Every structure is written in C-alpha cells, then in structure tokens.
Amino acid sequence: MVFCVKYRKKLLLQTELINFLKNVCYGISERYCFEFDAIGCDGDHVHLFVGAEPKYSPSKVMQIIKSIT
C-alpha cells in the first residue's frame, strides 16, 4: 500500500518523524494483529507491506491505518 502526504508535501525527511510513524504502525499491528513486513518513506509518501487476517478486507486495512496515523 502507498499512502501520500496531503498535497504531496515533502514532510517525511526527518528521521524523528519516520521513527514516530513506524512506532505508530507497530502499535496498530499489536492492536489489530497486522504484520508490517516493510515500512519505507520517500519524502512525500509511505510504502507499507502489510499482512492481515482474512477477516479484514484490504480496504478495511487501509481505513484502519489511515484513520490512526
């Protein structure tokens, strides 16, 4: 999944923000039993490789992650 920053601004260049985003994602993984295999940031967007249980549809996984982050 790829999530873009609003207005494609280059906000994800500082390591502190990237680490905070990763910590939030790992908190989500504990709460919803998701597996984040890879998390990568490239300035104005985030790449996530997520594994989830079959009870969650891909759109629901996206909704959960975007609403919390």
Side-chain angles (χ1 to χ4, degrees):
M1 296 181 190
V2 177
F3 297 111
C4 297
V5 177
K6 192 171 184 177
Y7 304 119
R8 302 283 295 200
K9 292 184 180 181
K10 301 256 183 201
L11 298 176
L12 299 173
L13 298 175
Q14 299 174 355
T15 56
E16 295 173 358
L17 292 175
I18 295 169
N19 290 334
F20 177 75
L21 182 65
K22 288 181 181 181
N23 288 335
V24 170
C25 289
Y26 291 131
I28 294 170
S29 69
E30 292 175 358
R31 191 178 319 157
Y32 290 97
C33 297
F34 294 162
E35 293 181 25
F36 288 92
D37 294 329
I39 301 172
C41 296
D42 190 27
D44 61 351
H45 61 277
V46 179
H47 296 269
L48 300 173
F49 190 70
V50 183
E53 295 178 354
K55 66 181 181 179
Y56 294 111
S57 66
S59 63
K60 186 67 174 175
V61 172
M62 291 180 76
Q63 179 185 9
I64 290 169
I65 294 170
K66 285 186 80 169
S67 67
I68 294 174
T69 57

